[in-house]
Amino acid sequence: MTADPMRQPGAGQTRRRGAALEEVILRAAADELTASGYAGFTMDKVAARAGTNKNAIYRRWSNRLTLGIAAYRRLATAVPPPDTGELRGDVLEWLRQANRYWSSPLGALLRELLSAAGGASELLAQLQDQSGDAAAAPWLTILGRAVARGEACPEALHPRVATVAGVLLRNEFVVRGAPTVPDDVLVEIVDEVYLPLVRRRGPNPS
């Protein structure tokens, strides 16, 4: 019978509790998610990596999806939006960065988790803040600079408008299942959809 490391630490072993144990579990979960993908991600494997038992994990995360999302958020890092000096350059470079991310192994994990979350909006919002203010913030930063330069109308500074290009890119991966998006599609999103939209929101965009 395997000893419970939470109740029976060996000689010289420090009993882990609270935040310290949570940190160990999250680190183990992130390592396991990277190694196995979400399809091979299990509570048993995470418990083995963390040197604890499943009960300690379930007390903090109710199922493997919530733990997987927490582990993914640990792996993901935020980057500032580009500042090329003009709206088209900023939007196109931001889409290219997003395309590289969605095409990467970490992006593949995100797609797996989005699929597993289904329509659970509460879980979707936790996935690198895919919805809400955090998702819109970099787009509003880009668009705000453009408004200040006179490249877009102030009425365009709305989260639903600002994030349109990002949503269209995400759909290529999530809805169409593309492994990556060709650059000409990114250019089309910018030139045929995004720029006309943000420049025509008001009666006098100039």
Side-chain angles (χ1 to χ4, degrees):
M1 180 176 180
T2 303
D4 181 348
M6 285 297 294
R7 292 183 299 177
Q8 301 177 14
Q13 183 181 20
T14 302
R15 181 175 299 183
R16 300 166 302 180
R17 299 179 184 276
L21 177 59
E22 186 169 311
E23 170 64 19
V24 169
I25 294 171
L26 272 177
R27 186 167 61 245
D31 290 344
E32 184 57 39
L33 190 63
T34 302
S36 302
Y38 184 66
F41 182 80
T42 68
M43 294 298 217
D44 285 320
K45 290 180 179 178
V46 174
R49 278 184 182 267
T52 188
N53 58 59
K54 287 192 296 183
N55 288 339
I57 300 177
Y58 279 115
R59 283 195 293 269
R60 292 162 175 80
W61 295 276
S62 59
N63 53 56
R64 78 182 186 109
L65 178 56
T66 55
L67 178 58
I69 289 172
Y72 169 80
R73 287 174 62 88
R74 183 185 178 92
L75 293 167
T77 56
V79 295
D83 187 0
T84 66
E86 55 103 16
L87 177 59
R88 185 179 185 277
D90 285 353
V91 176
L92 190 54
E93 176 56 27
W94 196 230
L95 281 183
R96 284 170 174 160
Q97 289 183 30
N99 189 37
R100 288 192 293 270
Y101 180 86
W102 280 91
S103 304
S104 71
L106 193 55
L109 288 177
L110 174 58
R111 297 199 300 274
E112 282 189 89
L113 290 166
L114 283 170
S115 177
S121 58
E122 182 178 306
L123 295 177
L124 291 173
Q126 295 175 34
L127 281 166
Q128 205 182 354
D129 298 310
Q130 289 294 309
S131 62
D133 295 340
W139 288 104
L140 288 170
T141 296
I142 289 172
L143 203 49
R145 293 171 185 157
V147 170
R149 291 190 298 260
E151 293 183 89
C153 57
E155 291 82 2
L157 285 171
H158 186 286
R160 291 190 186 278
V161 176
T163 58
V164 161
V167 170
L168 290 175
L169 175 63
R170 185 176 65 189
N171 285 347
E172 294 291 324
F173 287 95
V174 176
V175 177
R176 299 190 180 187
T180 190
V181 179
D183 197 68
D184 63 325
V185 174
L186 305 183
V187 172
E188 184 178 82
I189 289 173
V190 174
D191 291 343
E192 303 300 326
V193 180
Y194 197 76
L195 294 182
L197 176 65
V198 301
R199 288 171 175 168
R200 296 174 185 171
R201 293 288 294 178
N204 185 17
S206 62

